[in-house]
C-alpha cells in the first residue's frame, strides 16, 4: 500500500541497513570492474581500426563491429548460454577431448559468466566511443615520436591515451550505466548469484510491494549515476588538442594488433554462429551435438499463436513509436539546427537525458507517475516508454544531418511565394531525408528489441522480447533458436539499410554541393 505523505523514512531505512547500501557499493564495484575490463579489451581493436586501416576500408570494420549491438540483447544472452553453459558448445568439446574437470560451470553458480556476458554485450558500444576519439589523432604524431627515439609504450601514454581519454571515459560511463540498470542478464546467467542493486529495486515493485522504498532506491541510483558523470567529467580534463582532422593512417605493420582485431571479431560473432547451428539442428532439444540439418524449427515459429500475437504487438508499438518520434524529432531537429547560444545547449542537454538514464529508471518513473494519477497500465504506456527511448535518437541523428546545410534554399522558396509549411515539406524535409530514414530504421530496431522498460510498463500486453524472455525462463525449444536467427537477420538488414541510406545521401549531397559551386558564375 502506498501512503501519500512526505517522509524520509525510506532513505533512513536504506542508510541504516547494511544490506542495502552494501549491495549498492558491491554492485558498483562489480559493474565498475566489468566496465573497465570492457573498455580495456576494446581499446586495442579501436586503435587498430582508427590508425592502421585505410580510411576507405574502415566502414567495413566499423559495421562488422557494431552490428551485434543492434540485435536483441536477450538473443545474445541466449547465445552465450548455449556457448558457455554446462551443455554448451565449449563444454561439449572439452568433454569430447577428455579435459579433466569438464563440464565447467561458468553459468548459474558464480559471477564469471555475468562478467563475460556483460563484456560481450557492451563491446560494440565501447568500441564506437573509443574509435571516434582515436580517429581524431594524426598517426604522424606517433611516427614522429618513434623517429625521436620514443618507445611504443611512451607514445601510448603520452600521445594516444591523452587523445583517447574522452572516448575511454565515455565508454566506461555508458557501460557502467547499462550494466547497473540491467537486472535481467544477471538473473538469467548468474542464477542466485546474479543479485545486483537493480534486482533489489525491481523487487520492491514486485513481490515486496514497497513502492515508496523502491522509488527511494531508484532515486539514490539516479543520484549515484549523476555523481559518476560529474566525477568522470572532472577526471577527463577536457578534450586534447590534436590539430586538424586528417584521413591519414600509419603504414607500419602491426601483426599483433591485426591478430587481436580478428580475434575480437571472432569473439563477437562466435555466439551468433553457435545460435545458427542450433537453429538448424534436427535434435528436439537445444544443445550439442549437431544430429542433422533441418528447417523444421523455422516453420514452427509461425505456428505458435502466442508468438504471432506478441510479434503483432511489437510491430504496432514500433511503428507507432517510431512514427511519432520521426514527426516530433524532425521538427525539433529543424528548430535546434537553426538555434544558437545557450538555449540550444540547454535544449540539447534536456533532450539527451534519456540516453544517460537506464531504461530501468525510465520505466519506474512511468509506472510511479501513472500510479500517482490513478491510470492503469496498458498498450499506450508501452508506446509512451518507447517514444521516450526513440525520440532522442531520431532528433540527434536529424540534427547531425541538418548541421551546416545552407538555408538559402528555404529563403529562396519564401521569396518565390512558398508558405512556411511548403518550404518545410519541400526544402527542409528532403534535405534531412537520409538522416530521417536512417534514424527511423535504427529507432525501429531499438523499439523491437527493448525489454527492460517494456517489462516494467506493460499491463496485459506481451511484446516479442517479453515472449522470448518467458521462453528462455520456462520452455527452451529449438524454435527459440530459429526465432532468434530470424530476428538477428531482420536486425542486420535494418541497420545495414540505415547505413546505406545515410552514406548514399551524404555522398549525393557532397556531389551536388560540388556541382553547385562549379555552377556559380565568376566575376
Amino acid at each position: 500500500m502506498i501512503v501519500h505523505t512526505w517522509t524520509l523514512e525510506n532513505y533512513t531505512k536504506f542508510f541504516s541497513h547494511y544490506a542495502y547500501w552494501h549491495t549498492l557499493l558491491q554492485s558498483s564495484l562489480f559493474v565498475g570492474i566489468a566496465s573497465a575490463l570492457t573498455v580495456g579489451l576494446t581499446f586495442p581493436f579501436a586503435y587498430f581500426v582508427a590508425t592502421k586501416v585505410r580510411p576507405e576500408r574502415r566502414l567495413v570494420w566499423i559495421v562488422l563491429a557494431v552490428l551485434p549491438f543492434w540485435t536483441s540483447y536477450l538473443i545474445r544472452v541466449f547465445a552465450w548460454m548455449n556457448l558457455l553453459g554446462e551443455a554448451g558448445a565449449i563444454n561439449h568439446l572439452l568433454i569430447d577431448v577428455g579435459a579433466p574437470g569438464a563440464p565447467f560451470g561458468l553459468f548459474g553458480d558464480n559471477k564469471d559468466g555475468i562478467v563475460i556476458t556483460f563484456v560481450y554485450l557492451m563491446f560494440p558500444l565501447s568500441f564506437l566511443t573509443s574509435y571516434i576519439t582515436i580517429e581524431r589523432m594524426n598517426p604522424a604524431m606517433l611516427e614522429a615520436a618513434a623517429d625521436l627515439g620514443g618507445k611504443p609504450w611512451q607514445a601510448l601514454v603520452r600521445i594516444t591515451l591523452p587523445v583517447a581519454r574522452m572516448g575511454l571515459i565515455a565508454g566506461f560511463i555508458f557501460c557502467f550505466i547499462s550494466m547497473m540498470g540491467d537486472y535481467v542478464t544477471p538473473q538469467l546467467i548468474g542464477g542466485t548469484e546474479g543479485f545486483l542493486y537493480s534486482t533489489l529495486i525491481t523487487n520492491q515493485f514486485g513481490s515486496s510491494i514497497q513502492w515508496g522504498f523502491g522509488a527511494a532506491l531508484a532515486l539514490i541510483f539516479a543520484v549515484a549515476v549523476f555523481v559518476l558523470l560529474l566525477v568522470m567529467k572532472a577526471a577527463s580534463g577536457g578534450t586534447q588538442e590534436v590539430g586538424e582532422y586528417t584521413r591519414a593512417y600509419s603504414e607500419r605493420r602491426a601483426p599483433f594488433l591485426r591478430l587481436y582485431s580478428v580475434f575480437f571479431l571472432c569473439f563477437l560473432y562466435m555466439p551468433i554462429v553457435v545460435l545458427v547451428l542450433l537453429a538448424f539442428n534436427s535434435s528436439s532439444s537445444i544443445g550439442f551435438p549437431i544430429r542433422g540439418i533441418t528447417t523444421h524449427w523455422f516453420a514452427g515459429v509461425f505456428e505458435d499463436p502466442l508468438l504471432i500475437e506478441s510479434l503483432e504487438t511489437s510491430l504496432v508499438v514500433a511503428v507507432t513509436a517510431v512514427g511519432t518520434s520521426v514527426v516530433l524529432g524532425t521538427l525539433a531537429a529543424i528548430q535546434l539546427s537553426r538555434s544558437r547560444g545557450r538555449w540550444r545547449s540547454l535544449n540539447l542537454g534536456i533532450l539527451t537525458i534519456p540516453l544517460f538514464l537506464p531504461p530501468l529508471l525510465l520505466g519506474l518513473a512511468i509506472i510511479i507517475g501513472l500510479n500517482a494519477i490513478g491510470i492503469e497500465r496498458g498498450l499506450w504506456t508501452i508506446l509512451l516508454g518507447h517514444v521516450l527511448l526513440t525520440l532522442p535518437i531520431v532528433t540527434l541523428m536529424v540534427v547531425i544531418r541538418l548541421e551546416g546545410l545552407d538555408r538559402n534554399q528555404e529563403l529562396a522558396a519564401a521569396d518565390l511565394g512558398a508558405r512556411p509549411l511548403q518550404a518545410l515539406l519541400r526544402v527542409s524535409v528532403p534535405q534531412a531525408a537520409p538522416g530521417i530514414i536512417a534514424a527511423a530504421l535504427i529507432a525501429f530496431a531499438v523499439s523491437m528489441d527493448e525489454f527492460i522498460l517494456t517489462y516494467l510498463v506493460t499491463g496485459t500486453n506481451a511484446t516479442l522480447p517479453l515472449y522470448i524472455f518467458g521462453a528462455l525462463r520456462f520452455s527452451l525449444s529449438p524454435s527459440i533458436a530459429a526465432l532468434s536467427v530470424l530476428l538477428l537477420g531482420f536486425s542486420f538488414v535494418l541497420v545495414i539499410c540505415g547505413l546505406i541510406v545515410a552514406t548514399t545521401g551524404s555522398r549525393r549531397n557532397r556531389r551536388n554541393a560540388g556541382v553547385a559551386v562549379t555552377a556559380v558564375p565568376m566575376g
Side-chain angles (χ1 to χ4, degrees):
M1 179 179 178
I2 300 177
V3 180
H4 297 281
T5 58
W6 295 102
T7 178
L8 296 176
E9 182 181 348
N10 291 316
Y11 298 96
T12 303
K13 179 180 179 181
F14 172 83
F15 289 105
S16 61
H17 287 73
Y18 171 83
Y20 296 136
W21 59 263
H22 181 259
T23 300
L24 175 60
L25 293 179
Q26 189 178 44
S27 299
S28 300
L29 178 61
F30 175 76
V31 169
I33 293 174
S35 301
L37 187 62
T38 304
V39 173
L41 292 175
T42 308
F43 176 78
F45 177 65
Y47 177 83
F48 172 78
V49 176
T51 64
K52 300 296 183 180
V53 177
R54 293 177 180 272
E56 60 272 14
R57 299 177 183 174
R58 288 176 189 168
L59 182 60
V60 176
W61 286 83
I62 294 172
V63 171
L64 289 175
V66 302
L67 268 181
F69 183 73
W70 296 108
T71 61
S72 171
Y73 93 98
L74 282 176
I75 292 175
R76 285 178 282 159
V77 171
F78 175 57
W80 273 107
M81 291 170 63
N82 285 279
L83 185 64
L84 291 180
E86 289 191 9
I90 293 180
N91 268 325
H92 183 78
L93 178 62
L94 293 175
I95 293 174
D96 287 344
V97 300
F104 297 101
L106 285 177
F107 285 8
D109 56 0
N110 57 58
K111 292 186 177 181
D112 296 339
I114 302 176
V115 174
I116 295 173
T117 308
F118 269 158
V119 169
Y120 175 79
L121 293 175
M122 292 294 105
F123 252 172
L125 182 60
S126 177
F127 161 77
L128 278 180
T129 55
S130 298
Y131 168 80
I132 290 171
T133 52
I134 298 175
E135 194 187 26
R136 297 170 54 249
M137 180 181 65
N138 189 340
M141 299 170 63
L142 300 177
E143 303 289 341
D147 293 340
L148 293 174
K151 298 180 180 180
W153 67 268
Q154 292 176 316
L156 173 67
V157 173
R158 297 184 179 181
I159 299 177
T160 306
L161 289 182
V163 172
R165 181 176 59 240
M166 289 294 294
L168 297 176
I169 292 176
F172 178 87
I173 291 174
F174 280 123
C175 291
F176 185 91
I177 293 175
S178 299
M179 294 178 187
M180 278 292 288
D182 187 351
Y183 62 91
V184 177
T185 301
Q187 291 182 22
L188 289 175
I189 301 301
T192 57
E193 290 293 325
F195 191 91
L196 299 179
Y197 187 73
S198 55
T199 310
L200 179 63
I201 296 176
T202 54
N203 285 347
Q204 310 311 311
F205 295 86
S207 57
S208 298
I209 318 180
Q210 299 186 49
W211 283 36
F213 185 53
L217 294 177
L219 183 58
I220 292 171
F221 180 27
V223 172
V225 170
F226 181 71
V227 171
L228 172 67
L229 293 175
L230 293 180
V231 171
M232 289 298 177
K233 187 177 187 302
S236 65
T239 304
Q240 180 79 12
E241 294 292 337
V242 292
E244 183 181 357
Y245 170 76
T246 69
R247 288 172 58 86
Y249 70 100
S250 175
E251 296 185 359
R252 291 196 178 191
R253 294 183 177 274
F256 174 77
L257 282 178
R258 179 176 292 275
L259 180 63
Y260 183 90
S261 300
V262 172
F263 175 79
F264 184 96
L265 291 179
C266 290
F267 176 76
L268 286 180
Y269 285 91
M270 182 170 55
I272 296 176
V273 171
V274 171
L275 199 58
V276 172
L277 292 176
L278 294 175
F280 286 96
N281 188 8
S282 60
S283 174
S284 59
S285 60
I286 290 184
F288 289 85
I290 303 297
R291 302 187 183 280
I293 302 299
T294 182
T295 59
H296 171 71
W297 307 119
F298 289 91
V301 168
F302 301 98
E303 297 173 357
D304 187 341
L306 292 178
L307 189 152
I308 299 300
E309 182 181 353
S310 301
L311 176 60
E312 291 175 352
T313 303
S314 287
L315 290 174
V316 170
V317 170
V319 171
T320 306
V322 172
T324 304
S325 296
V326 165
V327 174
L328 298 179
T330 301
L331 294 175
I334 292 174
Q335 177 61 32
L336 287 170
S337 65
R338 298 172 177 177
S339 303
R340 295 292 182 270
R342 295 181 179 179
W343 282 110
R344 169 188 164 92
S345 300
L346 176 62
N347 290 331
L348 282 174
I350 295 174
L351 179 69
T352 55
I353 286 177
L355 298 178
F356 289 95
L357 290 177
L360 169 67
L361 295 185
L362 292 177
L364 293 178
I366 291 174
I367 63 175
I368 292 173
L370 293 177
N371 180 269
I373 58 180
I375 297 180
E376 295 292 332
R377 285 176 282 177
L379 181 62
W380 77 273
T381 57
I382 303 178
L383 290 172
L384 175 62
H386 283 230
V387 170
L388 287 176
L389 286 178
T390 57
L391 182 58
I393 296 174
V394 173
T395 306
L396 291 177
M397 291 192 67
V398 178
V399 165
I400 293 172
R401 172 69 186 171
L402 291 175
E403 284 293 331
L405 290 180
D406 190 1
R407 289 193 59 198
N408 288 329
Q409 296 182 27
E410 296 180 17
L411 298 177
D415 292 339
L416 293 174
R419 297 177 180 178
L421 181 60
Q422 291 176 315
L424 172 68
L425 297 178
R426 298 187 179 184
V427 178
S428 301
V429 172
Q431 287 180 323
I436 294 173
I437 295 173
L441 291 174
I442 293 175
F444 186 84
V446 170
S447 178
M448 287 292 292
D449 175 46
E450 175 52 41
F451 168 76
I452 293 178
L453 183 145
T454 307
Y455 182 78
L456 292 172
V457 304
T458 188
T460 58
N461 304 93
T463 61
L464 193 57
L466 295 179
Y467 173 88
I468 294 174
F469 178 69
L472 292 181
R473 294 184 66 185
F474 303 112
S475 59
L476 283 178
S477 166
S479 295
I480 298 300
L483 173 63
S484 301
V485 170
L486 292 175
L487 292 178
L488 283 170
F490 179 69
S491 299
F492 280 11
V493 170
L494 276 183
V495 176
I496 290 175
C497 287
L499 290 171
I500 291 175
V501 169
T503 304
T504 303
S506 298
R507 291 176 179 175
R508 184 184 299 112
N509 280 340
R510 287 196 298 267
R511 184 167 57 251
N512 292 341
V515 172
V517 170
T518 56
V520 174
M522 303 298 292

